[in-house]
Amino acid sequence: MAYRVLGRAGPPQPRRARRLLFAFTLSLSCTYLCYSLLCCCDDLGQSRLLGAPRCLRGPSAGGQKLLQKSRPCDPPGPTPSEPSAPSAPAAAVPAPRLSGSNHSGSPKLGTKRLPQALIVGVKKGGTRAVLEFIRVHPDVRALGTEPHFFDRNYGRGLDWYRSLMPRTLESQITLEKTPSYFVTQEAPRRIFNMSRDTKLIVVVRNPVTRAISDYTQTLSKKPDIPTFEGLSFRNRTLGLVDVSWNAIRIGMYVLHLESWLQYFPLAQIHFVSGERLITDPAGEMGRVQDFLGIKRFITDKHFYFNKTKGFPCLKKTESSLLPRCLGKSKGRTHVQIDPEVIDQLREFYRPYNIKFYETVGQDFRWE
């Protein structure tokens, strides 16, 4: 009887041991899992407080499958109050960006500077052509739009004006164009106050042709304006020209030039012939480059004559698939004007032209 009792009591011993071992292992795994989760919550809480990205310190084997999508933490670094020891830069760390880099990450080279040269006039003389031609030169960076700083926006200050400029290297010239400066009374003094060394470019054209071009442009925007003849004369029978009309007054070049010569020597002002700019663009631009003190980079090879528009255009370059020609607003067909009106205006401008030739030392042959 005792043997049977002992025989029955003997076999359960291994099962009980296995159960105890299983319970102990399960308890240990749960402990590790709980510990891992506690560490995780602690790290996540610190990450939220510090604004750092979420991460986990190495999860345990039991919790690895549950937390496998979380990335491991980076090695802890020194706190802001702790001085960090100098170390060799890691190869994977990117180089610091240059100041003023754009959003794409590519650096912007150079500095925004106030212009060293200005195309100050005249309207409908060929200023846009000179600007587009000179921008081909690698030593020139030019603002594409007209800022009108020295006539309309002077109150915004030089810092605002500088902020508009393109970035340039030390070897490059910053340039901008606003043709209305030439007829603005305050512009010479304001430009002189910015820099007395500023180089000035004035593109001039036969004043009668310039006035007709000016009128043609206005007519395209305001078709209800009076006739060219009606605007040009106060009394045509008496030959009284209306000099208050801006299209007429702009062409009285010598009167406007007097204001500029009060602040700048003639050697600091370069006059471009609007007529020669059409017939010999390379020659005119060669003289502009000489005036700016840069090498003659722009030559005959850069131009071709566009018969449709009636003026030269830039040939296509390696960076452009198409030739560069001025926009649709350039090269308009002028309105037809009575030849007698043209003759009267030529007589009116003659004394002003002669005085202008004498002052600048050039004969533009408008007579």
Side-chain angles (χ1 to χ4, degrees), residues 132-138 281-283 285-286 289 295-306 311-318 322-325:
E132 293 302 321
F133 295 164
I134 199 63
R135 290 173 80 177
V136 175
H137 202 293
M285 293 309 299
Q289 293 169 92
K295 65 179 180 180
R296 287 201 175 196
F297 175 84
I298 304 166
T299 61
D300 284 323
K301 67 181 182 181
H302 288 90
F303 300 100
Y304 77 96
F305 189 81
N306 187 308
F311 54 74
C313 298
L314 290 167
K315 292 180 181 178
K316 62 180 180 180
T317 60
E318 294 179 359
L322 297 173
R324 288 172 55 189
C325 239

Short mmCIF file of all heavy atoms in Angstrom, two decimals, residues 132-138 281-283 285-286 289 295-306 311-318 322-325:
data_model
loop_
_atom_site.label_atom_id
_atom_site.label_comp_id
_atom_site.label_asym_id
_atom_site.label_seq_id
_atom_site.Cartn_x
_atom_site.Cartn_y
_atom_site.Cartn_z
N GLU A 132 19.91 94.60 -71.61
CA GLU A 132 19.95 93.19 -71.97
C GLU A 132 21.28 92.79 -72.60
O GLU A 132 21.79 91.69 -72.36
CB GLU A 132 18.80 92.85 -72.92
CG GLU A 132 17.42 92.97 -72.30
CD GLU A 132 17.26 92.08 -71.07
OE1 GLU A 132 17.77 90.94 -71.08
OE2 GLU A 132 16.64 92.52 -70.09
N PHE A 133 21.85 93.68 -73.39
CA PHE A 133 23.14 93.38 -74.01
C PHE A 133 24.26 93.30 -72.97
O PHE A 133 25.08 92.39 -73.00
CB PHE A 133 23.48 94.42 -75.07
CG PHE A 133 22.55 94.45 -76.25
CD1 PHE A 133 22.53 95.54 -77.12
CD2 PHE A 133 21.68 93.39 -76.51
CE1 PHE A 133 21.69 95.57 -78.22
CE2 PHE A 133 20.81 93.42 -77.60
CZ PHE A 133 20.83 94.51 -78.47
N ILE A 134 24.28 94.25 -72.05
CA ILE A 134 25.39 94.31 -71.08
C ILE A 134 25.28 93.17 -70.06
O ILE A 134 26.29 92.76 -69.47
CB ILE A 134 25.44 95.68 -70.36
CG1 ILE A 134 26.82 95.91 -69.73
CG2 ILE A 134 24.35 95.79 -69.31
CD1 ILE A 134 27.96 95.98 -70.70
N ARG A 135 24.10 92.63 -69.87
CA ARG A 135 23.93 91.53 -68.92
C ARG A 135 24.61 90.25 -69.40
O ARG A 135 24.80 89.32 -68.62
CB ARG A 135 22.44 91.26 -68.67
CG ARG A 135 21.75 92.36 -67.89
CD ARG A 135 20.26 92.13 -67.82
NE ARG A 135 19.91 91.14 -66.80
CZ ARG A 135 18.66 90.80 -66.50
NH1 ARG A 135 17.65 91.33 -67.16
NH2 ARG A 135 18.42 89.93 -65.56
N VAL A 136 24.95 90.19 -70.66
CA VAL A 136 25.68 89.03 -71.19
C VAL A 136 27.08 88.98 -70.61
O VAL A 136 27.68 87.90 -70.49
CB VAL A 136 25.72 89.10 -72.74
CG1 VAL A 136 26.58 87.99 -73.32
CG2 VAL A 136 24.31 89.04 -73.31
N HIS A 137 27.60 90.12 -70.22
CA HIS A 137 28.99 90.19 -69.74
C HIS A 137 29.11 89.52 -68.37
O HIS A 137 28.33 89.79 -67.45
CB HIS A 137 29.43 91.65 -69.63
CG HIS A 137 30.91 91.83 -69.65
ND1 HIS A 137 31.73 91.38 -68.64
CD2 HIS A 137 31.73 92.41 -70.58
CE1 HIS A 137 32.99 91.68 -68.93
NE2 HIS A 137 33.01 92.30 -70.10
N PRO A 138 30.11 88.64 -68.20
CA PRO A 138 30.25 87.94 -66.91
C PRO A 138 30.64 88.84 -65.75
O PRO A 138 30.47 88.45 -64.59
CB PRO A 138 31.35 86.90 -67.20
CG PRO A 138 32.12 87.46 -68.36
CD PRO A 138 31.11 88.20 -69.19
N PRO A 281 25.57 97.42 -83.08
CA PRO A 281 25.44 97.14 -81.64
C PRO A 281 26.76 96.77 -80.98
O PRO A 281 27.02 97.16 -79.84
CB PRO A 281 24.44 95.97 -81.60
CG PRO A 281 24.51 95.34 -82.95
CD PRO A 281 24.80 96.47 -83.90
N ALA A 282 27.60 96.01 -81.68
CA ALA A 282 28.88 95.61 -81.09
C ALA A 282 29.78 96.81 -80.84
O ALA A 282 30.46 96.89 -79.81
CB ALA A 282 29.58 94.60 -82.00
N GLY A 283 29.79 97.76 -81.77
CA GLY A 283 30.61 98.97 -81.60
C GLY A 283 30.14 99.80 -80.42
O GLY A 283 30.96 100.25 -79.61
N MET A 285 28.32 98.79 -77.84
CA MET A 285 28.52 98.07 -76.59
C MET A 285 30.01 97.95 -76.24
O MET A 285 30.37 97.85 -75.07
CB MET A 285 27.89 96.68 -76.68
CG MET A 285 26.37 96.70 -76.77
SD MET A 285 25.58 97.71 -75.50
CE MET A 285 26.12 96.90 -74.00
N GLY A 286 30.86 97.98 -77.25
CA GLY A 286 32.29 98.01 -76.98
C GLY A 286 32.68 99.26 -76.22
O GLY A 286 33.45 99.22 -75.26
N GLN A 289 31.47 99.03 -72.62
CA GLN A 289 32.38 98.20 -71.82
C GLN A 289 33.65 98.96 -71.46
O GLN A 289 34.15 98.84 -70.33
CB GLN A 289 32.71 96.91 -72.59
CG GLN A 289 31.50 95.99 -72.74
CD GLN A 289 31.75 94.86 -73.73
OE1 GLN A 289 32.18 93.77 -73.35
NE2 GLN A 289 31.48 95.10 -75.01
N LYS A 295 36.63 94.29 -69.73
CA LYS A 295 37.15 93.84 -71.02
C LYS A 295 36.03 93.74 -72.05
O LYS A 295 34.85 93.57 -71.71
CB LYS A 295 37.83 92.48 -70.87
CG LYS A 295 36.90 91.35 -70.49
CD LYS A 295 37.64 90.02 -70.38
CE LYS A 295 36.69 88.88 -70.00
NZ LYS A 295 37.39 87.60 -69.89
N ARG A 296 36.38 93.84 -73.31
CA ARG A 296 35.39 93.76 -74.39
C ARG A 296 35.01 92.30 -74.63
O ARG A 296 35.57 91.63 -75.49
CB ARG A 296 35.94 94.41 -75.66
CG ARG A 296 36.00 95.93 -75.59
CD ARG A 296 36.04 96.53 -76.98
NE ARG A 296 35.98 97.99 -76.97
CZ ARG A 296 35.70 98.73 -78.02
NH1 ARG A 296 35.47 98.15 -79.20
NH2 ARG A 296 35.65 100.05 -77.94
N PHE A 297 34.08 91.85 -73.87
CA PHE A 297 33.58 90.47 -73.99
C PHE A 297 32.47 90.37 -75.04
O PHE A 297 32.37 89.40 -75.78
CB PHE A 297 33.08 90.00 -72.62
CG PHE A 297 32.43 88.65 -72.63
CD1 PHE A 297 33.19 87.49 -72.52
CD2 PHE A 297 31.05 88.51 -72.73
CE1 PHE A 297 32.61 86.24 -72.53
CE2 PHE A 297 30.45 87.27 -72.73
CZ PHE A 297 31.23 86.13 -72.63
N ILE A 298 31.61 91.39 -75.10
CA ILE A 298 30.47 91.41 -76.03
C ILE A 298 30.94 91.94 -77.38
O ILE A 298 31.38 93.09 -77.49
CB ILE A 298 29.32 92.28 -75.47
CG1 ILE A 298 28.93 91.79 -74.07
CG2 ILE A 298 28.12 92.28 -76.40
CD1 ILE A 298 28.05 92.76 -73.31
N THR A 299 30.86 91.11 -78.41
CA THR A 299 31.36 91.47 -79.74
C THR A 299 30.32 91.13 -80.80
O THR A 299 29.19 90.76 -80.49
CB THR A 299 32.67 90.73 -80.03
OG1 THR A 299 32.42 89.31 -80.00
CG2 THR A 299 33.75 91.06 -78.99
N ASP A 300 30.74 91.23 -82.07
CA ASP A 300 29.84 90.93 -83.19
C ASP A 300 29.24 89.53 -83.11
O ASP A 300 28.11 89.31 -83.57
CB ASP A 300 30.61 91.06 -84.52
CG ASP A 300 30.82 92.51 -84.91
OD1 ASP A 300 29.91 93.32 -84.66
OD2 ASP A 300 31.90 92.83 -85.45
N LYS A 301 29.97 88.60 -82.56
CA LYS A 301 29.51 87.21 -82.53
C LYS A 301 28.26 87.03 -81.66
O LYS A 301 27.60 85.98 -81.73
CB LYS A 301 30.61 86.29 -82.03
CG LYS A 301 30.98 86.49 -80.56
CD LYS A 301 32.10 85.55 -80.13
CE LYS A 301 32.44 85.73 -78.65
NZ LYS A 301 33.54 84.84 -78.23
N HIS A 302 27.93 88.03 -80.84
CA HIS A 302 26.78 87.92 -79.95
C HIS A 302 25.46 88.39 -80.60
O HIS A 302 24.39 88.22 -80.01
CB HIS A 302 27.01 88.74 -78.68
CG HIS A 302 28.01 88.13 -77.75
ND1 HIS A 302 29.36 88.41 -77.83
CD2 HIS A 302 27.87 87.24 -76.74
CE1 HIS A 302 30.00 87.74 -76.88
NE2 HIS A 302 29.12 87.01 -76.22
N PHE A 303 25.53 88.99 -81.79
CA PHE A 303 24.34 89.63 -82.35
C PHE A 303 23.94 89.07 -83.71
O PHE A 303 24.76 88.56 -84.47
CB PHE A 303 24.59 91.14 -82.50
CG PHE A 303 24.90 91.84 -81.22
CD1 PHE A 303 26.22 92.16 -80.88
CD2 PHE A 303 23.90 92.19 -80.33
CE1 PHE A 303 26.52 92.80 -79.70
CE2 PHE A 303 24.19 92.84 -79.14
CZ PHE A 303 25.50 93.15 -78.83
N TYR A 304 22.66 89.19 -84.00
CA TYR A 304 22.14 89.00 -85.35
C TYR A 304 21.00 90.00 -85.53
O TYR A 304 20.37 90.44 -84.55
CB TYR A 304 21.65 87.56 -85.57
CG TYR A 304 20.30 87.26 -84.96
CD1 TYR A 304 19.13 87.32 -85.72
CD2 TYR A 304 20.19 86.90 -83.61
CE1 TYR A 304 17.90 87.04 -85.17
CE2 TYR A 304 18.96 86.62 -83.06
CZ TYR A 304 17.81 86.69 -83.84
OH TYR A 304 16.59 86.42 -83.28
N PHE A 305 20.73 90.40 -86.76
CA PHE A 305 19.72 91.41 -87.02
C PHE A 305 18.38 90.73 -87.29
O PHE A 305 18.26 89.88 -88.18
CB PHE A 305 20.10 92.29 -88.21
CG PHE A 305 19.21 93.48 -88.38
CD1 PHE A 305 19.39 94.62 -87.61
CD2 PHE A 305 18.16 93.48 -89.29
CE1 PHE A 305 18.58 95.73 -87.75
CE2 PHE A 305 17.33 94.57 -89.45
CZ PHE A 305 17.54 95.70 -88.67
N ASN A 306 17.37 91.11 -86.51
CA ASN A 306 16.03 90.58 -86.66
C ASN A 306 15.24 91.48 -87.62
O ASN A 306 14.87 92.60 -87.26
CB ASN A 306 15.32 90.49 -85.30
CG ASN A 306 13.99 89.78 -85.36
OD1 ASN A 306 13.13 90.12 -86.18
ND2 ASN A 306 13.80 88.81 -84.48
N PHE A 311 15.59 95.46 -85.40
CA PHE A 311 16.74 95.78 -84.56
C PHE A 311 17.49 94.51 -84.20
O PHE A 311 16.98 93.38 -84.38
CB PHE A 311 16.35 96.57 -83.31
CG PHE A 311 15.27 95.92 -82.47
CD1 PHE A 311 15.53 94.82 -81.68
CD2 PHE A 311 13.99 96.45 -82.47
CE1 PHE A 311 14.55 94.24 -80.90
CE2 PHE A 311 13.00 95.87 -81.69
CZ PHE A 311 13.28 94.76 -80.90
N PRO A 312 18.72 94.64 -83.68
CA PRO A 312 19.54 93.46 -83.38
C PRO A 312 19.03 92.70 -82.17
O PRO A 312 18.45 93.28 -81.24
CB PRO A 312 20.93 94.05 -83.13
CG PRO A 312 20.68 95.46 -82.71
CD PRO A 312 19.45 95.90 -83.43
N CYS A 313 19.27 91.40 -82.19
CA CYS A 313 18.95 90.53 -81.06
C CYS A 313 20.19 89.73 -80.69
O CYS A 313 21.13 89.63 -81.47
CB CYS A 313 17.82 89.57 -81.42
SG CYS A 313 16.25 90.38 -81.85
N LEU A 314 20.17 89.16 -79.51
CA LEU A 314 21.29 88.34 -79.05
C LEU A 314 21.15 86.93 -79.59
O LEU A 314 20.06 86.35 -79.57
CB LEU A 314 21.33 88.31 -77.52
CG LEU A 314 21.72 89.61 -76.83
CD1 LEU A 314 21.40 89.53 -75.34
CD2 LEU A 314 23.19 89.90 -77.04
N LYS A 315 22.24 86.38 -80.07
CA LYS A 315 22.23 85.00 -80.53
C LYS A 315 22.06 84.07 -79.33
O LYS A 315 22.35 84.43 -78.19
CB LYS A 315 23.53 84.68 -81.26
CG LYS A 315 23.70 85.40 -82.58
CD LYS A 315 25.03 85.00 -83.23
CE LYS A 315 25.25 85.74 -84.55
NZ LYS A 315 26.56 85.39 -85.15
N LYS A 316 21.58 82.85 -79.61
CA LYS A 316 21.43 81.88 -78.54
C LYS A 316 22.80 81.50 -77.99
O LYS A 316 23.80 81.48 -78.71
CB LYS A 316 20.69 80.64 -79.04
CG LYS A 316 21.38 79.86 -80.14
CD LYS A 316 20.54 78.65 -80.53
CE LYS A 316 21.22 77.85 -81.64
NZ LYS A 316 20.41 76.68 -82.04
N THR A 317 22.82 81.21 -76.71
CA THR A 317 24.06 80.84 -76.03
C THR A 317 23.97 79.38 -75.58
O THR A 317 22.96 78.72 -75.77
CB THR A 317 24.29 81.75 -74.81
OG1 THR A 317 23.17 81.60 -73.91
CG2 THR A 317 24.37 83.21 -75.25
N GLU A 318 25.03 78.91 -74.94
CA GLU A 318 25.04 77.53 -74.45
C GLU A 318 23.97 77.31 -73.40
O GLU A 318 23.44 76.22 -73.26
CB GLU A 318 26.42 77.20 -73.87
CG GLU A 318 27.54 77.19 -74.92
CD GLU A 318 28.89 76.89 -74.30
OE1 GLU A 318 28.93 76.71 -73.06
OE2 GLU A 318 29.88 76.83 -75.03
N LEU A 322 17.13 79.30 -77.24
CA LEU A 322 16.55 80.23 -78.20
C LEU A 322 17.31 81.55 -78.19
O LEU A 322 17.89 81.94 -77.17
CB LEU A 322 15.07 80.49 -77.87
CG LEU A 322 14.14 79.27 -77.94
CD1 LEU A 322 12.76 79.65 -77.41
CD2 LEU A 322 14.04 78.74 -79.36
N PRO A 323 17.29 82.30 -79.29
CA PRO A 323 17.88 83.64 -79.30
C PRO A 323 17.11 84.55 -78.35
O PRO A 323 15.94 84.32 -78.06
CB PRO A 323 17.71 84.09 -80.76
CG PRO A 323 17.45 82.85 -81.54
CD PRO A 323 16.76 81.91 -80.61
N ARG A 324 17.78 85.59 -77.87
CA ARG A 324 17.15 86.54 -76.95
C ARG A 324 16.84 87.82 -77.70
O ARG A 324 17.73 88.55 -78.10
CB ARG A 324 18.06 86.80 -75.76
CG ARG A 324 18.15 85.65 -74.79
CD ARG A 324 19.21 85.88 -73.75
NE ARG A 324 19.03 87.12 -73.04
CZ ARG A 324 19.92 87.64 -72.20
NH1 ARG A 324 21.06 87.01 -71.99
NH2 ARG A 324 19.70 88.77 -71.58
N CYS A 325 15.56 88.08 -77.87
CA CYS A 325 15.11 89.31 -78.51
C CYS A 325 14.25 90.08 -77.53
O CYS A 325 13.65 89.49 -76.62
CB CYS A 325 14.31 88.99 -79.77
SG CYS A 325 15.03 89.71 -81.26
#
